[in-house]
Structure formats: C-alpha cells, structure tokens
Amino acid sequence: MARLTFMGGIHTFDGKDLSKDQPLVTLLPKGDLVFPLSQHIGAPAKPLVEKGDSVLVGQIIAESDGMISSNIISSVSGTVKAIEKRLTSEGKMIESIVIVNDHEYTIIEGYGADCDYTKMSKDEIRNKVKEAGIVGLGGAGFPTHVKLTPKDEGKIDYVIVNGAECEPYLTSDYRLMLEYPHLVIGGLKIILSLFDKAKGVIAIEDNKPDVIAKFKDLVANETNIEVKALKTKYPQGGERQLVYAVTKRRLNSKKLPADLGCIVNNVGTVASIYMAVAKSTPLTHRIVTVSGDAVANPQNFYVPIGTNFEEIVEAAGGFKTQPKKLIFGGPMMGTSMFTFKLPVTKTTSSILGFIKDEAAVEESACIRCGRCNEHCPLNLMPIGLQMAGIHNEYEKFLKMDGMECCGCGCCSYVCPANRSLTQTILQTKQVVLSKQQEHHELHELHKNHAENK
Ligand code: SF4
Ligand code: SF4
C-alpha cells in the first residue's frame, strides 16, 4: 500500500493501545456546565442570556460577534447561574456562562429534525454551519463557516478530511471513524456539494488499518471520494504536512489551504457538519479521550460541551495514582495544567494523566548533534532560533524563518540536551507578533496624522 508522507518528523511512543479498543461511552453530567465565550479563534461570542434565564439543549446562549467568531450553544437544560470569569484548559481566565443542570436535558424545538441538504442552497448550508457554532475540533478552533467560504470557491479542487490523529495517546477520532463512519462520509458529501470542481480525500494514518479498510469499503461506489493511507509519523495531521502529503503543494504561514485549492477539516468537524446540516443538531457534544498511565480505565467519552473534566475522570475510574503531570489536548501540542476541574470546550480533545513528569528534566548545553534540524518538518534550524530568541535578536529570528514554526514540538522531543526549543521559539514568535502589531499601529497613527494636516 503506497503511503503518503512529508520530510522530517518523528516516531513517538503512541500510547494509543491504552484506550483505542474501548467503545465510546455517552456521559450525562450531573453538575453545573460552564461555557467559555471564547472557544474559538477570533472575537469572543456575545452572551444572549442573563443570570436567572432558563435555557434548553440546542439554544444559542452566545452569538458570534464579528467575521471571525462563533455561536455558543447550550448542551444542557437548566438555569443560568452566572456569567463570570472561569479558568479553561488553555490556562486562561475567560468570561463564561455557567448553567445549573436540571438533569432533564430538554431540547429546543426542531433539534434533531431530519433535513435534506440536496434541496438546500450553498448559502443555506453555510448558514446552518454558522448557526450551529462549528469550529475546528482538532484543536485549532477556527470557525468552520469561514473556512467553507473561501475567496475563490471555483479554485477548490480538494476537500481533505484529516483522519491522521497523529498526537500520541489520542483515540477520539479513531473511535468516531470506527463507530460512526457514515457521519464522516455524510459530512464530506455536504462539503463537496459546496465546491463544484472538488474531489474528496479521507486521509488516515496507516496505524489504523481497520478504519482505512472500513472507509474504503463504504466509499467503493463513490466516484468523487478517495481514501488515502498516510505514513504514521508525527506531525502527519498538521495542516501543512497533510496538504503536502495529499497534493504535494507547499503551504506556509502566509497562505491558507484554500489559497492552494484545499479545504481541510478534522474528522470530528466533518461529522459535526453532517449533524448540523442533515440532523439539525448544533455543536453541543464532542468526544474526549481520557488516558495516560495514571488513569484507572482509559477510554473515550461522548460528552456535552461544558461538562467538568472531574466528572469524566471519575467515570473513567479516577486516577489509580496521583498524576505528576496533567495534559489537555495531546502530549506534543497540548497544555500542561495543575488541575483537571475544568470545562470541556469545543477544542479540548483529551485529558491525559501521567505518573511521571518527563519534562521535569534539567536543560543542558547544546552538543551540536543536529537532531533538531534533521527532524524539523519545516526544515528550520531550531537551536539557532532558540538562541536568537534568548538574545532578543528578532531580525535574525525573522531571517531564519522563525515565524514559520508550527509549534509541533519535534525538536524538543529529539533533543538529548532537553532544551526547551519549542517553548522559546513560540514565545519569541509572540513577542515578534506584538512588535509587528505595535509597528503597524504606529505607522497608521503617522499616516492619519499626515492626512489630517
Ligand atoms: S522549530 Fe518549530 S516546526 Fe521545527 S520542529 Fe521545532 S517546533 Fe516543530
Ligand atoms: S538537538 Fe539539542 S543538542 Fe542537538 S543540536 Fe539541537 S539543540 Fe543542540
């Protein structure tokens, strides 16, 4: 079987055996649910409810506020208890709507109704996706209706479904593809109906042969959909690596996949598009992996967004040993946190609990082994970028293409000196971005001043 791939990258211990064979479990939480107003890239949503209001499952409780923003939908029925700042798994305090669960899960009228998307216009489909509050569930959180509305619709020739799931330990996409493949295929057909020239590609890493076989069988009679096996290698699911593997087209930080004729969506996002458009079910639930060697019974749960992770960990039998390290969203690109009493958001794919903290090892001097360069999937020079960052040499950082770093973590993973390469490079990127923003604002100020003279 020919397998598609990219340059660089790493082979990690994948830890997927811990949870991959356990069927999905649906969990209905008992406690309050918390809905941060910012669970996506772009402007925070604007609340449509107030303290004391009653809400239903499927009700829009906060609306998209701007071009790049997204609706927030209640996944529970109950009463709004507060709108206040709450901590999220990204380590930020974010204004959130807190709802007291009435345990009835009463749905709003029309929720779950069948809809024939073939009778809908393209605008109606895009609007349904927007109303449903769908964002990239793979972790990016980019509003999906914006992605489905590229500048040049006629240029799109590929719709790629990202089924790589290359982050170690995560198996939520795997269980979704194995148990509900028709949702993914249905969602892909809906996206294809928006782009007249496009063909669909379902791209899956070859460590999931059962899923590849299942999809090949299910699309055998579809002339416009192909299933492609990807070589199992991290970060195969990164947008740039995936687009390159499938099309041999090269993305960079200044280009969107749509500029190269591609629309790329994670499998969970594609399934959500199907649910929103064909089943009138907005984004109220998601699948999360609970895993790691500290967890009693690693598995995947289908949960209402807003559920507290404490309840999910409890449903997985709790921790058999007090974890030294908690990670949300995958060990390579996720966030390390000190507590698990946090709400599930649209983009939280997992909670991982580990007995040891592998990162708690001292950094030492670079031995110039070159491994970080060799494994960088973007052909960057990580140690050079780290040194430029440490010495505040921002021009040098820019010349070395530091802004292209996608934060995949491969360089830090392979470094025998345990240098925190990725962390320093990402921090330097933030500093450069804010300096560029300041420079832009200053330039605008001078321009306005000159025009008003
Ligand atoms: S420099 Fe950036 S893109 Fe390259 S390996 Fe390190 S984190 Fe990944
Ligand atoms: S992998 Fe680590 S030790 Fe090797 S060159 Fe890169 S920074 Fe230096």
Side-chain angles (χ1 to χ4, degrees), residues 365-372 383 411 414-417 419 421:
C366 168
I367 56 165
R368 298 174 187 267
C369 67
R371 282 161 85 175
C372 53
I383 180 64
C411 49
V414 296
C415 177
R419 298 193 65 86
L421 299 162

Side-chain angles (χ1 to χ4, degrees), residues 127-429:
N127 201 41
K128 261 207 143 174
V129 173
K130 181 179 179 190
E131 286 286 298
I134 300 174
V135 303
L137 299 191
F142 192 80
T144 303
H145 65 280
V146 181
K147 214 181 220 189
L148 297 183
T149 318
K151 267 186 279 171
D152 187 356
E153 189 180 301
K155 192 177 171 183
I156 304 301
D157 56 357
Y158 278 99
V159 173
I160 304 171
V161 179
N162 186 351
E165 197 167 52
C166 61
E167 270 271 9
Y169 292 91
L170 305 198
T171 54
S172 53
D173 288 350
Y174 172 74
R175 290 310 313 179
L176 169 67
M177 291 189 282
L178 197 66
E179 297 187 42
Y180 299 97
H182 61 284
L183 301 185
V184 178
I185 295 168
L188 174 56
K189 286 184 181 173
I190 291 172
I191 304 174
L192 284 169
S193 75
L194 300 175
F195 304 103
D196 303 335
K197 285 191 346 206
K199 72 169 180 181
V201 174
I202 304 174
I204 305 167
E205 273 194 346
D206 62 359
N207 59 355
K208 307 171 191 64
D210 45 353
V211 168
I212 294 175
K214 181 169 274 214
F215 273 97
K216 282 199 166 167
D217 187 38
L218 290 169
V219 302
N221 297 323
E222 303 286 346
T223 50
N224 204 23
I225 298 179
E226 265 184 278
V227 179
K228 298 265 193 197
L230 305 165
K231 191 170 174 182
T232 300
K233 186 168 64 159
Y234 179 84
Q236 184 61 82
E239 212 162 53
R240 297 186 211 185
Q241 289 72 36
L242 186 65
V243 168
Y244 180 76
V246 174
T247 68
K248 296 288 171 281
R249 298 171 190 171
R250 285 184 197 278
L251 267 178
N252 61 32
S253 64
K254 293 174 197 74
K255 284 190 181 136
L256 294 170
D259 297 330
L260 301 185
C262 302
I263 298 288
V264 185
N265 282 295
N266 158 271
V267 279
T269 313
V270 176
S272 301
I273 290 172
Y274 177 79
M275 291 304 292
V277 178
K279 297 285 172 193
S280 308
T281 305
L283 184 57
T284 50
H285 289 65
R286 70 157 296 143
I287 302 172
V288 292
T289 303
V290 183
S291 192
D293 56 6
V295 176
N297 305 309
Q299 57 193 297
N300 284 281
F301 292 92
Y302 180 68
V303 295
I305 289 167
T307 303
N308 197 300
F309 269 106
E310 188 178 24
E311 290 197 51
I312 309 174
V313 170
E314 199 179 297
F319 292 117
K320 55 186 180 197
T321 310
Q322 195 52 34
K324 286 259 168 33
K325 180 117 180 167
L326 283 172
I327 298 175
F328 289 86
M332 298 301 293
M333 291 184 80
T335 328
S336 176
M337 285 294 286
F338 53 89
T339 176
F340 59 103
K341 295 175 183 177
L342 302 168
V344 172
T345 65
K346 295 177 186 182
T347 55
T348 4
S349 53
S350 71
I351 178 171
L352 308 174
F354 295 104
I355 295 169
K356 274 199 214 153
D357 183 356
E358 305 283 355
V361 185
E362 292 252 325
E363 206 176 276
S364 56
C366 168
I367 56 165
R368 298 174 187 267
C369 67
R371 282 161 85 175
C372 53
N373 298 7
E374 200 185 308
H375 290 274
C376 175
L378 300 175
N379 206 18
L380 302 175
M381 203 183 283
I383 180 64
L385 292 171
Q386 189 196 35
M387 295 317 287
I390 289 172
H391 295 112
N392 302 333
E393 294 171 328
Y394 303 121
E395 284 300 323
K396 190 170 172 189
F397 184 85
L398 283 170
K399 276 194 192 134
M400 293 174 79
D401 282 333
M403 301 308 278
E404 293 300 314
C405 171
C406 61
C408 67
C410 291
C411 49
S412 301
Y413 184 85
V414 296
C415 177
N418 296 309
R419 298 193 65 86
S420 51
L421 299 162
T422 311
Q423 205 186 356
T424 317
I425 296 168
L426 291 181
Q427 280 164 356
T428 311
K429 267 182 80 170

